[in-house]
Amino acid sequence: MFPKILAPLACLGLALSLVFAAPEAQKKPRILFFSKSSGFEHSVISWKNGQPSHAEKVLQELGAKHGWDFEFSKDGSKFGKDYLDQFDAVFFYTTGNLLEEGTDKQPPMSAEGKQALFDYVKSGKGFIGTHSASDTFHTDNESLKGPERYLNHGEKADSYVRFLGAEFIKHGAQQVAKNTVENPKFPGFEKVGTEYSFHEEWYSLKDFTPDIHVLSVMDAPAMTGVEYQRPPFPSTWARKEGDGRVWYTAMGHREDIWTNPVFQDILIGGIRWAIGEVQADVPPNLKDVAPGAYTNPPYVEPKPPAPKKVKAKPAKAETK
């Protein structure tokens, strides 16, 4: 008698457990898009009249399409374990020393908040960086210096530079540049083909972390400008940080890049990998695909500003 009664109750209990488990299973990944500008503020991430930036509008559309929830912030003071633990990944489009208020006057991070970011990713979370994420936390504040800006520091580079995978030196005039795809099987590159080219503001980068998995390489020697007088070097890559995942692309300066379908494919793939929606191996390959990456462009002493011309005052007419 009892087994006949218990069987339906067991089925009911299983059904209820599935119902209550369903919302957790369907929980959307949450991504923090952080765009504090302690240095130069790019127009693509600038808030105007309290409205979302161009990049944020694009990300909102992509989030709705792919089932991601974005939170947009420029407040560095929030960075800490409890705050970051809300998110599956953190996405940087930043500049300068984020420990300082700087250009946009938004609250800075603390040193503890910076370390909390590293610990957060190491624990198994994701990090995404576009464009000027590499123009952030320069080694020894080198963004304000001359020849030192062109040096590699290896293990002595800023902890953020080692974490991200490289550091911005300079950029030349916007132009079309060819990028060779090194791993067409990585998420987002499946439909790109063997190469892609955009009219963009291309960064010249240095101090590459040796364990990066290069996804695309820029044909610097074919470009115009002293900033690109160097061998080919990585423009997009991925790497593991402890149990976590770091993905970066130097693209993202221009508004039309954010709506370009090829860039969006590459970005979507990077986000999906960073939040763990898709898997991909990222063994170090820098020496194989960009062996000259540590050769930086030559330093050119900036020309002194031309002296201002002083207009001669007209002679006064003599009076009798």
Side-chain angles (χ1 to χ4, degrees), residues 31-32 34 79 84 87-92 117 120 126-129:
I31 302 168
L32 171 64
F34 183 61
F79 273 67
L84 294 175
F87 306 103
D88 297 279
V90 173
F91 188 151
F92 267 30
L117 172 66
Y120 158 86
F127 181 91
I128 302 127

Side-chain angles (χ1 to χ4, degrees), residues 30-44:
R30 296 195 70 212
I31 302 168
L32 171 64
F33 183 73
F34 183 61
S35 57
K36 174 166 175 54
S37 301
S38 293
F40 177 77
E41 183 175 51
H42 289 73
S43 61
V44 76

Side-chain angles (χ1 to χ4, degrees), residues 159-206:
S159 55
Y160 174 83
V161 173
R162 303 297 284 174
F163 164 83
L164 180 68
E167 180 177 354
F168 166 65
I169 308 173
K170 286 192 74 178
H171 66 76
Q174 294 185 22
Q175 59 192 287
V176 176
K178 184 181 79 172
N179 290 260
T180 302
V181 175
E182 299 297 342
N183 184 355
K185 294 182 179 180
F186 190 88
F189 283 91
E190 301 95 338
K191 298 185 294 183
V192 174
T194 58
E195 62 184 52
Y196 61 91
S197 300
F198 295 129
H199 184 81
E200 173 64 306
E201 179 186 270
W202 297 103
Y203 278 4
S204 192
L205 301 161
K206 70 168 188 174

Side-chain angles (χ1 to χ4, degrees), residues 263-283:
F263 171 75
Q264 287 194 356
D265 280 347
I266 293 171
L267 178 63
I268 290 164
I271 293 173
R272 295 189 68 208
W273 178 77
I275 63 177
E277 277 190 354
V278 292
Q279 303 299 314
D281 292 330
V282 289

Side-chain angles (χ1 to χ4, degrees), residues 33 42-45 54-55 91 93 129-132 198-203 235 248-258 263 267:
F33 183 73
H42 289 73
S43 61
V44 76
I45 52 93
H54 177 76
F91 188 151
Y93 195 133
T130 49
H131 199 50
S132 61
F198 295 129
H199 184 81
E200 173 64 306
E201 179 186 270
W202 297 103
Y203 278 4
S235 56
Y248 171 80
T249 183
M251 296 182 287
H253 176 84
R254 296 168 55 95
E255 289 192 359
D256 59 338
I257 291 294
W258 282 83
F263 171 75
L267 178 63

Side-chain angles (χ1 to χ4, degrees), residues 126-157:
F127 181 91
I128 302 127
T130 49
H131 199 50
S132 61
S134 62
D135 188 16
T136 300
F137 287 126
H138 285 270
T139 301
D140 295 332
N141 211 22
E142 281 185 0
S143 63
L144 304 179
K145 298 179 182 179
E148 298 94 336
R149 191 168 177 166
Y150 292 73
L151 300 176
N152 294 315
H153 296 278
E155 293 182 359
K156 294 182 180 180

